[in-house]
Amino acid sequence: MLRLVRITLVSLSALLLLAAACGGDDDSTGSATDAPTATEATATETDSGDDGGDGNGASADLDDYFTEVSKIALRTDTKLEQVGGELQNATFANDAEEIAATQDAFQQVGETLELAILDFSDLDPPPEAEDAHAEFIEKLQAALIVQSEFLADMQDVTTSAELDALADDYNPDLAETDADFDEACLALQGIADDNGIDADLRCTD
């Protein structure tokens, strides 16, 4: 049951597998509340006196940028993995419970993506990363639009069979969005690589 819906949720979660969180390492899982917020991370870096340079020729600003991107992505991905895992492992007594749980999951996905977009938008990328940063946010917003439309259409669903059919309808759009996001992810990875920054985005090939 809900095979296609769950595939949809996993596909949407994969859009956020960026930086150290990209690819879903085992050590990146856990409660979303365990991951530091961008504000906490900035405060920690300030206290430690780390200027963000890596000694490989990258500017401190660019190195700091990728550090913040990684932190936001890790926090976001951790939350999405939690939501997806809970839905995948859940058991339901009837269709109504299944539909309600799926609606709640996608509500959480939407809220998580909205927060990620705000956090990424708050970053001030150096000139080298401006275009790729803007493209990344644009693709993330596209993912949010698709999942929001899916959630809205889900309000009219009354059976698990209808939910599966709806997910089947949306899977092509999610696949296209996923491919577009992969391209944006690879563009960011290329900038890190070209500047000698030790950032593993592990984008989907």
Side-chain angles (χ1 to χ4, degrees), residues 7-147:
I7 289 174
T8 300
L9 183 56
V10 170
S11 298
L12 191 56
S13 300
L15 295 175
L16 272 296
L17 298 181
L18 179 67
C22 292
D25 277 356
D26 291 340
D27 60 4
S28 70
T29 58
S31 172
T33 58
D34 293 337
T37 64
T39 301
E40 291 169 344
T42 301
T44 300
E45 290 166 5
T46 301
D47 292 341
S48 67
D50 185 2
D51 64 3
D54 62 8
N56 291 323
S59 69
D61 286 347
L62 190 61
D63 197 51
D64 287 346
Y65 165 76
F66 276 104
T67 297
E68 292 305 312
V69 167
S70 298
K71 289 172 182 174
I72 296 169
L74 176 59
R75 184 175 69 250
T76 304
D77 183 58
T78 299
K79 177 61 177 178
L80 291 176
E81 285 188 351
Q82 175 190 333
V83 174
E86 288 174 353
L87 182 61
Q88 289 177 340
N89 295 326
T91 57
F92 308 105
N94 51 54
D95 285 6
E97 287 186 6
E98 193 170 27
I99 293 168
T102 306
Q103 290 173 339
D104 179 68
F106 273 87
Q107 181 67 39
Q108 293 184 63
V109 168
E111 292 170 355
T112 302
L113 291 180
E114 287 176 353
L115 178 59
I117 290 169
L118 289 174
D119 286 344
F120 282 121
S121 298
D122 282 342
L123 297 180
D124 185 15
E128 307 97 308
E130 282 182 351
D131 290 345
H133 178 83
E135 183 75 4
F136 172 71
I137 293 176
E138 179 182 332
K139 301 310 179 186
L140 192 55
Q141 289 170 329
L144 176 60
I145 290 172
V146 172
Q147 82 83 32

